[in-house]
Every structure is written in structure tokens, then in C-alpha cells.
Amino acid sequence: MLKLLLPDFYITDIFEIDFDYLKKKGIKAILIDLDNTLMPWNSDEVNTELIDWIARGREKGFRFCIVSNNFAKRIINCSEKLGIPAATGAFKPGRKIFLKGMEITGTSPAETAFVGDQLFTDVLGAKRVGITVILVKPISEKEFFWTKLVRRLEKKLIKTMEEKGLLKKF
Ligand SMILES: [Mg+2]
């Protein structure tokens, strides 16, 4: 179980992602969670730093796709604002939404990385389909009430992983 919850990388935010390293490893696409990974929870705030980051990734040849459990309307709105397609109609940690994402990016699990901020939806789901998982710290503490409850357990697990030296940065 712990193995399925262990991310390949654990970093502060998306800006720490080493595009060159991923490229060397054969990664061609980045599936990415929306809330508290790309943008604060339920916020429409798109800053230039984020737009630049996406542009830099594209210049390196990466394809992006949003994989989010939020409402379709919000996902579509953000997808348009960011200029990134989104996989919809299924939910993490189910496999289906990740498979849909890879269908959009046209990549295999070995060629795909996923970035998210939650262990039990993001990391678990992406691990189940065998893709490289990058866990980021949530952008803000604002979130769905259920997520707040789950965070307590998540924090304990992350602490244990840290103490065992299982978490690595780029
Ligand atoms: Mg999230």
C-alpha cells in the first residue's frame, strides 16, 4: 500500500520541476492536477509566472493535460485560460481519467509524468497506472472540507516517508 502512495519526487511547487531531467528520462507529457497544484483551490488566478512555465515546458517539447476532480465547468474554464486540454468524465484515484489524459497527450505510461498535491487521489491514482509521480505541496490551505480532513493523515504519511528518506527532489 505504501508503495502505491510513494511519489517519485516531492517538491515545493511546480517551478521546481526539472524539465531537462524528465526529458532525459523519456518523459514527453505532463498530466497535471488543477486545484492547489496549478492554481489555488477554486481560484481563477492565472499569473504570468504560470503562463511562462507552461510555455517553457512546451518549448522543451512537453505536452500538458489537466487531470482534475473538480466540476466540469471550472475545469473547462481553466483549461481555456491556460491553453491546456483537460481529461474529464472520470475521477482520481480511478485509472480511467489518467488513461484519458494519456489518450489526449498520445503518450504511454513510461512517457508520462503526473503532478498533483494529494496522496490519496493524485499519487495513488497515477501510481496505479504506472506513471512517474511528482507530488507538490498544496498552494494554499483553502480547500474542500473533505480534503482538509484527509490532509491530517496525509501529513503523517509524508512525515514518515521523509523520516525514512524515501522522498527525493530533482
Ligand atoms: Mg489538487
Side-chain angles (χ1 to χ4, degrees), residues 105-140:
T105 56
T107 51
S108 68
E111 296 169 331
T112 311
F114 174 77
V115 192
D117 70 295
Q118 289 188 50
L119 282 185
F120 301 105
T121 49
D122 295 324
V123 178
L124 179 62
K127 278 277 165 181
R128 288 177 73 210
V129 290
I131 62 187
T132 300
V133 186
I134 302 163
L135 179 68
V136 295
K137 290 181 182 164
I139 292 174
S140 84

Side-chain angles (χ1 to χ4, degrees), residues 33-39 41 67-68 92 115-118 121-122 138 143 147 151:
D33 170 56
L34 187 59
D35 292 292
N36 273 338
T37 296
L38 266 183
M39 299 160 85
W41 183 63
V67 173
S68 166
K92 301 173 284 188
V115 192
D117 70 295
Q118 289 188 50
T121 49
D122 295 324
E143 47 200 356
T147 313
R151 288 282 185 208

Side-chain angles (χ1 to χ4, degrees), residues 95-114:
R95 290 186 180 88
K96 205 173 161 190
I97 192 160
F98 294 95
L99 299 177
K100 279 190 165 193
M102 286 189 280
E103 211 179 285
I104 291 171
T105 56
T107 51
S108 68
E111 296 169 331
T112 311
F114 174 77

Side-chain angles (χ1 to χ4, degrees), residues 10-24:
Y10 180 49
I11 53 176
T12 303
D13 55 45
I14 55 166
F15 304 108
E16 280 182 24
I17 292 172
D18 187 340
F19 286 132
D20 293 321
Y21 176 90
L22 292 180
K23 206 173 166 180
K24 250 185 255 166

Side-chain angles (χ1 to χ4, degrees), residues 32-47 50-51 54 58 64-88 139:
I32 192 156
D33 170 56
L34 187 59
D35 292 292
N36 273 338
T37 296
L38 266 183
M39 299 160 85
W41 183 63
N42 269 353
S43 149
D44 280 353
E45 195 186 295
V46 176
N47 56 35
L50 180 54
I51 297 292
I54 294 165
R58 286 217 169 106
F64 291 94
C65 180
I66 295 168
V67 173
S68 166
N69 280 1
N70 208 315
F71 298 108
K73 200 179 160 197
R74 163 160 169 77
I75 298 168
I76 291 162
N77 180 25
C78 291
S79 162
E80 280 170 2
K81 276 192 174 172
L82 296 167
I84 300 178
T88 52
I139 292 174

